[in-house]
């Protein structure tokens, strides 16, 4: 499992087995697409973190608060944003072929 730790202290643990897609765009960050949610990670120097996620070597991901983010040197990785967004569930349409 990966434990996601928000700067508020809230934690969410999700299994690697539910991870459906992992993508990295240097200008936008890392996106993890799970069955039930999408997690967006923003920050600096995230390329190494992406590689570790892809090889399932990450145990936790912690968002730095504003003060801590400023203390991290420019060449070091830091997560400045972590958003966990629940996916919208599509309503189930009834079919004319269903048994009633």
């Amino acid at each position: 499992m990966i434990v996601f730790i928000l700067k508020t202290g809230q934690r969410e643990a999700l299994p690697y087995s539910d991870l459906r897609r992992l993508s990295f765009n240097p200008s936008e960050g890392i996106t993890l697409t799970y069955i039930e949610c999408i997690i967006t990670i923003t920050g600096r120097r995230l390329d190494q973190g992406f590689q570790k996620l892809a090889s399932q070597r990450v145990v936790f991901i912690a968002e730095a608060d504003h003060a801590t983010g400023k203390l991290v040197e420019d060449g070091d990785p830091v997560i400045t944003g972590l958003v966990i967004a629940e996916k919208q569930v599509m309503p189930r349409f009834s079919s004319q072929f269903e048994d009633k």
Side-chain angles (χ1 to χ4, degrees):
M1 293 190 95
I2 306 172
V3 178
F4 297 92
I5 305 168
L6 301 175
K7 62 184 169 191
T8 61
Q10 178 185 346
R11 296 168 188 236
E12 184 86 26
L14 295 167
Y16 273 105
S17 61
D18 287 352
L19 182 60
R20 296 298 177 238
R21 176 178 285 171
L22 176 65
S23 57
F24 174 60
N25 181 328
S27 63
E28 296 177 11
I30 299 172
T31 302
L32 296 93
T33 304
Y34 276 90
I35 293 172
E36 68 278 355
C37 64
I38 296 174
I39 298 174
T40 306
I41 301 167
T42 54
R44 297 189 313 259
R45 313 250 331 141
L46 299 176
D47 49 336
Q48 200 172 71
F50 174 80
Q51 293 300 326
K52 289 181 179 182
L53 280 164
S55 60
Q56 298 185 4
R57 294 183 6 215
V58 174
V59 178
F60 71 91
I61 294 174
E63 178 184 30
D65 61 25
H66 185 69
T68 303
K70 288 187 149 260
L71 291 174
V72 176
E73 296 196 26
D74 288 338
D76 293 334
V78 63
I79 296 171
T80 56
L82 180 59
V83 177
I84 302 171
E86 297 291 323
K87 284 186 178 176
Q88 298 296 322
V89 177
M90 296 294 292
R92 187 171 186 274
F93 294 101
S94 62
S95 169
Q96 63 181 348
F97 301 110
E98 286 183 3
D99 290 335
K100 296 188 181 201

